Every structure is written in structure tokens, then in C-alpha cells.
Amino acid sequence: MQTQPKASHFIGGEYVEDTNGTPIEVIYPATGETIATVHAATPAVIDKAITVARTAQVEWARMSGTERGRILRRAADIMRERNHELSVLETYDTGKPYQETSVADATSGADALEYFGGIAASLTGEHIQLGDDWGYTRREPLGLCVGIGAWNYPTQIACWKGAPALACGNAIIFKPSETTPLCALKVAEILVEAGLPAGLYNVVQGMGEVGASLVSDPRVDKVSLTGSVPTGRRVYAAAAEGIKHVTMELGGKSPLIVFEDADIENAVSGAILGNFYSSGQVCSNGTRVFVHRDIKEAFLNRLAERLGRAVIGDPLDPATSFGPMVSKRQLDIALGYIEKGRAEGARVVFGGAAIDRDGFYMQPTVFADVTDDMTIAREEIFGPVMSVLDFDDEDDVMARANDTEFGLAAGVFTRDLTRAHRVAARFEAGTCYINTYNDAPVEAPFGGMKNSGVGRENSKAAIDHYSQLKSVYVRMGDLEAPF
Ligand code: NDP
């Protein structure tokens, strides 16, 4: 497959290059080989993107929602038709197995384009009767949105931010993570092919400083970041300087509680989906798995058996179910946490080491006997490292589950209906799961509480974060004044 893009950036409906920008090598995580080189955006490239986006947005906002939505839905169809090649590219960009990318990335992106394409025509304000007078609201676009992505879901994030932004009549500039710059360019290409006017969906490459200069530019109205909490703090603060709208989709250290009455097979499935999908590089992962002491050994035994069946290898082989980490850096971070876990007294019950082969591979790893104060139970690892903690009592486990700065997701496995809903209500987390884990359909809001974020992506809730209301008051009679 041709992995080198035609040029680094996509601005004004076409590929744009400026080789004065710092070169960024794109590494295939399964081999460590360089598969493409792009250049970080120079100030001239950033300025061009902002200028063309702002100009294009004016006409786009004047179009009807039906017209805008039609283009997004056409783009969704093209993405589905090209799912195979987009999935292969996603695998090259991230190292995630084709078994995953073929069902979770371009497909999820297409869902977002289809959903927000469908909703665009129904965006309205409301009529407010005020006696004989009245008012109404207009739902207006924000203007120019900037999307900044993490490296774990480059196609999906590019669409989750682009689709609602465009549906509401905004223009967007998307900056992918420097680690995974390839997929967003394809999203931009497809949108233009579907009929999106030039300049409305732009992609600029670069490291954090390119993101920072976009965020601080006064011509930008909104910033949507998917990234870590420390980056979120910086970006949120920079956006606050300009009183800009923000969506912050940040990290997590989510709890997954398995009660003694849970279906163990399903609970093990949930723990696997919530810890080892995408080699554990998922923000909402339930990495603190609280297992009732009565079923702990049965749970751990079955988990180890199931993990033993993981097919680790070439991510392009459809049989492979567990791929490499995205980068050497992320591999080293995860392995560092494994050392910390061992040093602080946790017990490795599965995996625990790098895999001796080309690329950035490590074993799926499970620690048992983890206690709340251990580093591996407190910090986001963003790798395939599960911590199993014991509990005996519901009140106690709820307090421990919520005792974290994060609040992205949480899950519970139990057969007790009332307990399931009671626990979901008590979780301090934006996205909760009962007898499942890590579903993220476009129809439901996704986002974090506490330090895990601000705002919501997906669903009708996202519309509020990509549009603003204007109130218009109408006097039907004469107007009195005090003098
Ligand atoms: P980072 O926070 O390192 O980076 C996120 C993005 O921000 C990257 O594009 C990065 O560029 C850019 N960036 C870095 N510094 C700045 C800055 N000062 N101003 C503007 N942009 C900046 O996250 P990772 O890419 O390492 O992704 C992993 C993190 O993302 C995890 O914490 C994970 O939990 C979180 N995440 C959250 C999700 C959610 O929906 N809540 C979903 C997926 C991931 P560059 O890469 O070039 O440094």
C-alpha cells in the first residue's frame, strides 16, 4: 500500500506542502520501519489554513442543513465503500490489528458522518411567546473550530470532531497527533470528493506547538482536544485566554466492578475489551478491575486462559487479535509501569514483559493483589496493563472506585438489576456500562467528568458544543422608556 501521502497538509480542498517545516517520520509500529515522512506546519501554512477556513465558513453557514447533511452522508457512504483500504491505513498509522480497524475506525467515522449528516436538517431554534411580544432563538455556528487528536483512533477522532462541526455550519482545522498523521488526510479527501466545498475541512500536521499556535490564534472560535490530562490543562488554559469554546476529551483510570453474582464469562469478556483492545491504548479503559473476593480466583483463572488465546503478531493478518504499541515511547512507558507494579508488591498473573521481535510488542499483562495506593492503580498507563483489586462490600468498593481525579468511564458486572442501576448512579463518570464495556455508539453522549473532560462528543449533546444560541426579542407594540 502507498503510505506516503501526496503532501503533508490538506488545505482549501487540496494537498499542500511546505518542506521548511520540521520533518516527522511516520513509523509502522509492527516493524519499526519508516513508512512516510510529513512536515510540521510552518506559520505560513497555519495562517493559510485559518484564512481559507474562515472565508469558506461564511458560505457554508448560509447553506441549508439539508444540503450540508447530504454531503456528510455521501462522505459516510464513500468511507464505508473504502473501509478496507482505510482500515489498512489505520493499521499502518497505529499498529492496531486489521481485525479491529476493519470494524472500529472508518466504520465509526462513517457513523458520525451519517448521524450528524442526518441531524443537520433538523437543527432549529425555538419560538418563545412573551405575552403579546415574542422572541426566538437562532442556532448559529461557532465559526472556526480546531480539532486536536490523540494517536489511538486517528480516523475516528478526525470524524467525531469534523462531523458535528460541519453539520452545525462551522469550518474545521484538524491537527492529528504527530505519531499518526496519515488517516485524517484521507478523511479530508473523502469529504471533498463527497462535495464539501474547499476550505471547510483542513488538516495541518505538527507537534504540540502547531496545536498551541492554532489554539491561541484569535481567529479560532472553538477548540476540541482529545488527549491527556496534562495537555488538556495547557490547551484549556490557552483557550481560556481567548474565551473560546472547548471540548476536552481527556484521560482516565476507570473502574470496572465485578460482583460475586456476575456471569464470570461475560465479566472476563468485559475486562478483556476494557483492557486489551487496541493494546490497551483506549482512554475509557476499565483498568482498575475490582473483583469480589469470593470469585477472584475463578475470575483470574478464566482470564488467564482467555488471554492465552490472544493471537499476537502481524497486525495486517486478519487472524491477529493483539498488535504492537503505537511507538517505542509508549512501549517504554507501559513497561516502566510494569516495573513499578512489581516493585510496589503487585503480583503478575499474566504477561509482564516485552516481546522479543521487531516492532513495539509487549504481552497483555495482568496484576493481582493490587492496592489502591499503588502507582499502577492511580495513574493512566495507556497500555495493556490490567490491575485486579479485591473487595468485599458494595459501599466500600464504590468509595474506592470513585477515589480518583478521573471520571471518564466505569463499568459493573452483576446479575442484580437494582444493584446495577444503583451502582451506575453512584459512579462519578461520564460513561457507564452495565454488563458490557467500551461501547461507544454515535447515538450516545461520550465524555468525562472530573479531570477527564469538559463537554460531550457524539449524540445530540455534541450539537450544543458546536453551535451557539442567539436570542432575538420582538416587540409587537409601542416601546416605553423612563425618560
Ligand atoms: P497528548 O495529550 O500527548 O496529545 C494530544 C494531542 O495534543 C496531540 O495531537 C498533541 O500533539 C497535541 N498537543 C500536545 N501539546 C499541545 C499543546 N500545548 N497545545 C495544543 N496541542 C498540543 O495525548 P496522546 O496523543 O499521547 O494521547 C493519549 C492520551 O489521550 C491519553 O491520556 C488518553 O486517555 C487520551 N485520550 C482521550 C480520549 C477521550 O475521548 N477522552 C480518547 C483517546 C485518547 P503531538 O502528538 O504532536 O504531541
Side-chain angles (χ1 to χ4, degrees), residues 24 148-153 156-157 160-161 175-180 206-215 223 225-232 234-235 238 248-252 281-284 329-330 380 382 406 408 446-448 452-453 457:
I24 298 171
I148 301 177
W151 39 255
N152 55 349
Y153 283 86
Q156 185 188 91
I157 296 171
W160 280 20
K161 298 190 189 305
K175 188 205 84 69
S177 164
E178 69 189 84
T179 312
T180 53
M207 286 69 92
E209 54 269 32
V210 170
S213 60
L214 285 166
V215 173
V223 178
L225 169 81
T226 297
S228 61
V229 173
T231 302
R234 279 196 292 278
V235 172
M248 295 280 141
E249 292 292 347
L250 309 177
Q281 303 164 116
V282 180
C283 51
S284 48
R329 180 170 174 271
Q330 201 58 31
E380 182 181 48
F382 226 58
F406 301 106
L408 190 55
F446 183 84
S452 290
E457 296 201 295

Side-chain angles (χ1 to χ4, degrees), residues 161-460:
K161 298 190 189 305
L166 293 171
C168 291
N170 304 284
I172 183 163
I173 300 174
F174 185 75
K175 188 205 84 69
S177 164
E178 69 189 84
T179 312
T180 53
L182 304 179
C183 296
L185 292 168
K186 288 289 167 197
V187 173
E189 254 185 56
I190 287 171
L191 279 162
V192 167
E193 193 178 328
L196 188 73
L200 291 166
Y201 190 99
N202 308 280
V203 178
V204 300
Q205 308 293 353
M207 286 69 92
E209 54 269 32
V210 170
S213 60
L214 285 166
V215 173
S216 59
D217 194 291
R219 294 169 290 174
V220 168
D221 302 291
K222 191 228 157 86
V223 178
S224 176
L225 169 81
T226 297
S228 61
V229 173
T231 302
R233 277 204 183 90
R234 279 196 292 278
V235 172
Y236 200 178
E241 278 294 313
I243 320 284
K244 295 180 206 285
H245 297 257
V246 294
T247 300
M248 295 280 141
E249 292 292 347
L250 309 177
K253 188 76 194 176
S254 300
L256 172 57
I257 304 178
V258 182
F259 282 97
E260 67 282 7
D261 64 343
D263 178 312
I264 292 202
E265 206 58 26
N266 286 337
V268 168
S269 294
I272 289 173
L273 289 170
N275 281 271
F276 302 117
Y277 205 71
S278 304
S279 296
Q281 303 164 116
V282 180
C283 51
S284 48
N285 271 357
T287 46
R288 289 183 295 140
V289 183
F290 293 92
V291 181
H292 195 281
R293 211 179 297 273
D294 289 355
I295 57 163
K296 173 183 167 180
E297 287 312 317
F299 177 89
L300 287 174
N301 289 338
R302 190 63 188 131
L303 180 64
E305 275 169 29
R306 300 261 306 262
L307 288 176
R309 290 196 225 145
V311 180
I312 304 175
D314 173 7
L316 287 168
D317 180 344
T320 298
S321 56
F322 187 86
M325 303 295 287
V326 75
S327 62
K328 172 82 168 59
R329 180 170 174 271
Q330 201 58 31
L331 173 66
D332 290 342
I333 289 172
L335 292 173
Y337 276 107
I338 290 176
E339 285 321 303
K340 273 194 194 124
R342 282 203 172 95
E344 292 178 17
R347 174 168 61 100
V348 174
V349 293
F350 195 90
I355 295 174
D356 186 19
R357 57 176 288 163
D358 287 343
F360 314 127
Y361 286 86
M362 63 179 285
Q363 297 170 319
T365 297
V366 180
F367 278 103
D369 305 337
V370 178
T371 54
D372 298 335
D373 54 339
M374 288 182 186
T375 309
I376 55 170
R378 302 220 66 80
E379 295 181 10
E380 182 181 48
I381 299 175
F382 226 58
V385 184
M386 179 198 290
S387 292
V388 177
L389 304 95
D390 311 335
F391 79 94
D392 300 292
D393 170 73
E394 183 181 318
D395 282 339
D396 171 60
V397 77
M398 286 313 305
R400 292 166 61 201
N402 287 331
D403 181 20
T404 165
E405 61 169 311
F406 301 106
L408 190 55
V412 55
F413 278 81
T414 177
R415 286 194 176 98
D416 179 334
L417 190 66
T418 50
R419 172 156 66 189
H421 295 288
R422 186 169 63 234
V423 167
R426 292 175 77 183
F427 276 138
E428 296 168 3
T431 306
C432 297
Y433 300 103
I434 296 174
N435 293 334
T436 181
Y437 206 86
N438 262 353
D439 311 67
V442 68
E443 296 88 343
F446 183 84
M449 292 181 178
K450 294 154 84 174
N451 285 356
S452 290
V454 173
R456 291 293 177 268
E457 296 201 295
N458 288 341
S459 81
K460 284 178 273 192

